[in-house]
């Protein structure tokens, strides 16, 4: 494999889809051939010393008002590491601004680069003619482009139909596997929320409008008329919390909807195991914000849980309709409610869908298999 430098603005211990995606792929790449440049922050040393590959940390975007463009320090540091580490190939995880760095370094050093796209990063480049023009340049000079889903790939070709760069789809994979259920966490969860003999809906994801927790809350009054023992647990944090809490009160759902903001990774299996149905009716927003794939649906599959997803973005690739779960109109409260009621009243159907989800997640979506695609590209 070519000696490769990955330049990213998102990397653990920072949370987020891009950070998780690339840290797991790096773990599967040859450790002596991959070098990472990522932002410095709280907890980075603790994370870095546990990795077998080399990680450089730097504050990559300038906060000083007199430096323009703000990514100039990133260009300088990337150039320095290319020389220091004798880098043969560059990978960047954002079209803007890291894609600009890669484009310029190809012009200056004749260093080839690959580009990783995730959906929203491409949609946001359509906000201005300048961004669209720069993105076109970055895409056209890349040796290859990897997308996190077929949806993202199609989105790319929607905006740039004349693109003829080599492409590959490298899917995100679950990190939460059905290996150990912390019994104490699950017992406390049941006891503290009076969940004995209750039917549990679960959403794991950031508290943002796109995820669709609000639509589940709005559908619950209809669900409770038919399945009164239903309870809805939301795991996540984000700026939409206050609005969700207002919806809970407005629909008189206090005690029936529970939000957990702080759940450690070791605790998450207890939540998945407790759930009867995993639900996230994600939707596309007016600004183009959309679910690029939906890794949580596969995590739920690893716990043999049936899922309900919104017909939006890459979620329809993570979920097979009526095979591993149900896909609904994310804007239709009635359709969401009917899907919930159907699954909660059909235990055998839940079991069949959950088992199919487990088999699909285990065989197709694992990091080792996905990383092989990148190794072949390199």
């Amino acid at each position: 494999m070519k000696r490769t430098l990955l330049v990213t603005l998102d990397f653990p211990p920072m949370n987020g889809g891009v950070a998780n995606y690339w840290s797991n792929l790096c773990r599967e790449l040859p450790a002596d051939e991959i070098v990472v440049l990522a932002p410095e922050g709280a907890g980075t040393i603790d994370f870095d010393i546990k990795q077998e590959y080399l990680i450089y940390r730097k504050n990559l975007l300038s906060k000083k008002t007199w430096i323009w463009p703000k990514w100039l320090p990133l260009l300088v540091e990337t150039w320095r590491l290319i020389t220091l580490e004798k880098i043969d190939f560059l990978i960047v995880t954002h079209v803007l601004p890291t894609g600009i760095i890669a484009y310029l370094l190809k012009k200056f050093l004749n260093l080839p680069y690959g580009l990783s796209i995730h959906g929203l990063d491409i949609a946001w480049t359509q906000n201005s003619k300048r961004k669209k023009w720069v993105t076109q340049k970055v895409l056209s000079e890349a040796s290859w482009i990897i997308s996190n889903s077929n949806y993202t790939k199609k989105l790319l070709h929607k905006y740039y139909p004349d693109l003829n760069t080599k492409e590959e789809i490298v899917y995100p994979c679950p990190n939460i596997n059905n290996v150990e259920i912390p019994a104490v966490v699950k017992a406390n969860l049941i006891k503290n929320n009076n969940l004995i003999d209750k039917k549990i809906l679960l959403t794991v994801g950031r508290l943002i409008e796109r995820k669709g927790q609000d639509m589940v809350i709005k559908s619950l009054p209809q669900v409770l008329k038919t399945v009164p023992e239903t309870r809805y647990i939301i795991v996540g944090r984000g700026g939409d919390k206050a609005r969700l809490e207002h919806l809970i009160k407005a629909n008189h759902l206090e005690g029936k909807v529970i939000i957990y903001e702080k759940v450690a990774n070791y605790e998450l299996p207890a939540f998945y195991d407790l759930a009867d149905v995993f639900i996230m009716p994600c939707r596309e927003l007016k600004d183009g914000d959309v679910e690029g794939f939906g890794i949580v649906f596969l995590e739920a599959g690893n716990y043999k849980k049936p899922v309900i997803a919104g017909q939006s973005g890459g979620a329809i690739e993570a979920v097979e309709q009526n095979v591993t779960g149900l896909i609904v109109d994310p804007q239709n409260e009635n359709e969401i409610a009917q899907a919930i009621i159907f699954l909660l009243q059909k235990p055998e159907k839940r079991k069949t869908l959950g088992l199919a989800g487990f088999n699909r997640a285990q065989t197709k979506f694992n990091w080792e298999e996905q990383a092989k695609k990148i190794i072949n590209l390199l």
Side-chain angles (χ1 to χ4, degrees):
M1 189 179 109
K2 296 176 182 176
R3 187 157 178 79
T4 301
L5 174 65
L6 171 72
V7 179
T8 179
L9 299 178
D10 296 301
F11 208 69
M14 181 188 299
N15 294 318
V18 176
N20 175 68
Y21 182 82
W22 272 104
S23 65
N24 281 285
L25 288 172
C26 285
R27 191 185 66 234
E28 300 296 336
L29 299 177
D32 57 344
E33 298 295 349
I34 184 73
V35 180
V36 175
L37 173 60
E40 188 176 19
T44 53
I45 294 177
D46 292 337
F47 174 84
D48 294 354
I49 60 176
K50 297 175 184 176
Q51 312 311 312
E52 296 183 3
Y53 53 89
L54 186 60
I55 303 175
Y56 287 88
R57 298 285 183 170
K58 196 83 172 180
N59 292 321
L60 302 177
L61 299 180
S62 175
K63 296 181 180 179
K64 297 178 181 179
T65 56
W66 55 270
I67 293 182
W68 189 90
K70 295 297 183 183
W71 44 260
L72 190 58
L74 173 59
L75 173 63
V76 173
E77 182 64 12
T78 303
W79 194 325
R80 185 183 76 84
L81 288 182
I82 288 169
T83 304
L84 178 67
E85 292 292 338
K86 298 180 173 57
I87 297 299
D88 301 312
F89 195 87
L90 184 64
I91 300 176
V92 292
T93 66
H94 301 80
V95 177
L96 303 175
T98 55
I100 301 175
I101 304 299
Y103 176 84
L104 292 174
L105 289 173
K106 183 174 182 181
K107 296 299 182 183
F108 295 148
L109 304 176
N110 197 30
L111 183 74
Y113 67 89
L115 180 65
S116 170
I117 61 172
H118 303 272
L120 184 59
D121 50 350
I122 291 295
W124 276 352
T125 64
Q126 307 307 299
N127 294 338
S128 73
K129 290 183 179 179
R130 181 184 64 83
K131 288 181 180 179
K132 289 174 68 174
W133 180 81
V134 171
T135 300
Q136 176 70 58
K137 293 291 185 182
V138 171
L139 293 170
S140 63
E141 289 293 329
S143 297
W144 44 257
I145 300 168
I146 63 172
S147 304
N148 65 341
S149 67
N150 192 50
Y151 169 80
T152 301
K153 181 179 177 180
K154 288 180 179 178
L155 185 68
L156 178 64
H157 285 272
K158 172 186 173 182
Y159 294 130
Y160 301 96
D162 297 327
L163 188 67
N164 57 10
T165 308
K166 184 177 182 180
E167 295 178 78
E168 181 69 86
I169 296 175
V170 178
Y171 285 109
C173 303
N175 288 323
I176 307 298
N177 291 303
N178 189 9
V179 290
E180 183 178 354
I181 310 298
V184 173
V185 175
K186 182 177 177 181
N188 287 337
L189 187 59
I190 294 170
K191 179 181 177 182
N192 295 339
N193 298 289
N194 190 27
L195 297 179
I196 297 175
D197 296 327
K198 298 297 189 291
K199 293 285 193 299
I200 308 300
L201 301 174
L202 173 68
T203 299
V204 177
R206 284 180 295 155
L207 306 185
I208 56 176
E209 184 181 359
R210 164 167 60 88
K211 299 293 185 179
Q213 295 99 332
D214 56 342
M215 295 301 291
V216 181
I217 293 170
K218 290 177 182 179
S219 73
L220 273 182
Q222 184 178 344
V223 173
L224 289 165
K225 290 178 182 178
T226 305
V227 191
E229 66 272 25
T230 302
R231 298 294 182 268
Y232 179 34
I233 297 177
I234 302 171
V235 175
R237 64 182 72 181
D240 214 23
K241 183 185 178 185
R243 188 174 71 92
L244 295 178
E245 289 179 331
H246 175 75
L247 281 174
I248 292 168
K249 291 180 181 178
N251 287 280
H252 309 291
L253 295 170
E254 295 91 338
K256 295 181 174 61
V257 180
I258 308 148
I259 299 177
Y260 275 86
E261 286 190 280
K262 296 181 180 179
V263 175
N265 285 338
Y266 81 90
E267 296 175 308
L268 260 181
F271 286 80
Y272 278 113
D273 189 60
L274 180 64
D276 292 285
V277 175
F278 182 89
I279 182 168
M280 193 175 78
C282 44
R283 62 186 185 268
E284 183 172 355
L285 303 184
K286 292 180 180 179
D287 65 358
D289 192 3
V290 67
E291 196 74 24
F293 183 60
I295 191 64
V296 287
F297 297 116
L298 298 176
E299 289 184 354
N302 269 339
Y303 287 86
K304 301 180 182 178
K305 303 301 176 179
V307 301
I308 299 174
Q311 189 161 1
S312 168
I316 57 176
E317 293 175 68
V319 180
E320 285 190 272
Q321 172 70 310
N322 211 31
V323 176
T324 66
L326 304 179
I327 298 173
V328 298
D329 179 351
Q331 305 280 14
N332 190 322
E333 294 173 31
N334 181 64
E335 190 171 324
I336 294 170
Q338 290 305 312
I340 293 170
I341 292 169
F342 173 76
L343 287 182
L344 291 183
Q345 291 186 323
K346 302 282 187 179
E348 286 303 315
K349 184 67 172 179
R350 294 201 304 270
K351 183 177 179 180
T352 300
L353 295 177
L355 184 58
F358 174 80
N359 291 333
R360 187 167 186 258
Q362 291 287 314
T363 56
K364 184 175 181 180
F365 296 95
N366 64 77
W367 290 113
E368 183 180 2
E369 289 301 313
Q370 297 302 317
K372 286 178 182 177
K373 300 176 184 178
I374 296 177
I375 293 173
N376 288 336
L377 289 172
L378 293 170

